[in-house]
Amino acid sequence: MNPTLHAARLGVSRGWTEFKNSLVSPQDVGFTIVTSIALVVVMYFQRDARLPGTSLSLAAVTLPSVLGMLTAFNALLGAVGALAAEREDGTLLRAKALPQGMVGYLVGRIVSVSLTTLISVLIVLVAGLFLLPSLTRTGPGGWLTMSWVILLGLLATLPLGAIIGSLANSPQTAAGLSMLAVGGLSAISGIFYPLSALAGWLQALAHVFPLYWLGLGMRSALSPASAAAAELGGSWHTLETVGVLGAWSVAGLLLAPPILRRMARREAGSLMQLRRDRALQRIG
């Protein structure tokens, strides 16, 4: 069997095992539930408000955007956090010793984080169905659109998280960079208010990154056709959504493995122990 395909198959198996283990981890389950509840509370208070200039419920517009943000948030932070932790506990050193080990590691991380993200999205979506009965009228085309947007969104953001985690020199730096990235992009990507309210240069900047397109794609899937009038250009820009998310996916999947391998080549048991000693000295 081709070594790369064999490593990828092992990565899928490892990712599934890690996902099952996360379901019995109080810390992982608690984080998922608390995050999801916080987003549901936001929609609850928006349920009777209306998007200015339309008859659309503000919650109905916010929910798809929040699902897009949740996809990016969990994928990016999940990849960064896991990579930072496993760099410290020796997991990457063990993966480095295997043929095509970094390919298997990346595939496993994509599988486990993707499944965890889907659980979070499902929790918020089910709650949204109770808060917003109009969602039950979403047709098969809308659910299909939602599926491919989430898939492309995960592929666009997970490798990016792996790259950020690889470039950071400590878990604290990795967490700070990822939170800064997600927070900054959420603020300019039309998640909680129309992108048209921002300055032109901020709109242009938002168009470069996947978060805006994730939100737009989710709104096109779950919102009525009339809601497109509130978007820039009065359109869902489906082809552009596929193009931008697809470009980020391809770029990430091409760049992440060599960057991970480069980082792993610099890793050694002595270096890992040195980082631990320094951390203990700071604590002490």
Side-chain angles (χ1 to χ4, degrees), residues 83-152:
L83 183 60
E86 291 171 348
R87 186 178 182 180
E88 297 299 313
D89 67 13
T91 299
L92 283 179
L93 281 178
R94 293 189 290 272
K96 170 186 173 182
L98 299 174
Q100 299 295 326
M102 298 314 297
V103 172
Y105 174 83
L106 182 60
V107 170
R109 184 54 49 220
I110 288 175
V111 170
S112 61
V113 175
S114 295
L115 291 173
T116 302
T117 300
L118 291 177
I119 293 296
S120 297
V121 169
L122 186 61
I123 292 173
V124 176
L125 181 61
V126 170
L129 290 173
F130 285 100
L131 289 174
L132 305 167
S134 60
L135 284 179
T136 60
R137 295 192 289 273
T138 301
W143 298 119
L144 179 62
T145 298
M146 177 181 169
S147 299
W148 67 254
V149 169
I150 290 177
L151 176 62
L152 276 181

Side-chain angles (χ1 to χ4, degrees), residues 131-224:
L131 289 174
L132 305 167
S134 60
L135 284 179
T136 60
R137 295 192 289 273
T138 301
W143 298 119
L144 179 62
T145 298
M146 177 181 169
S147 299
W148 67 254
V149 169
I150 290 177
L151 176 62
L152 276 181
L154 288 169
L155 290 175
T157 51
L158 269 166
L160 180 59
I163 291 172
I164 293 174
S166 299
L167 297 178
N169 56 14
S170 71
Q172 293 78 16
T173 302
L177 287 174
S178 56
M179 290 297 292
L180 182 63
V182 171
L185 292 177
S186 297
I188 66 170
S189 294
I191 298 299
F192 295 105
Y193 47 85
L195 191 66
S196 57
L198 299 178
W201 68 273
L202 284 175
Q203 294 180 24
L205 184 62
H207 279 71
V208 174
F209 295 98
L211 188 52
Y212 165 71
W213 300 100
L214 256 170
L216 179 63
M218 296 296 280
R219 290 193 294 275
S220 73
L222 301 178
S223 302

Side-chain angles (χ1 to χ4, degrees), residues 33-53:
I33 292 177
V34 170
T35 303
S36 303
I37 289 176
L39 295 175
V40 171
V41 169
V42 170
M43 290 184 296
Y44 176 80
F45 286 110
Q46 291 182 338
R47 70 192 188 283
D48 295 326
R50 292 287 178 266
L51 187 68

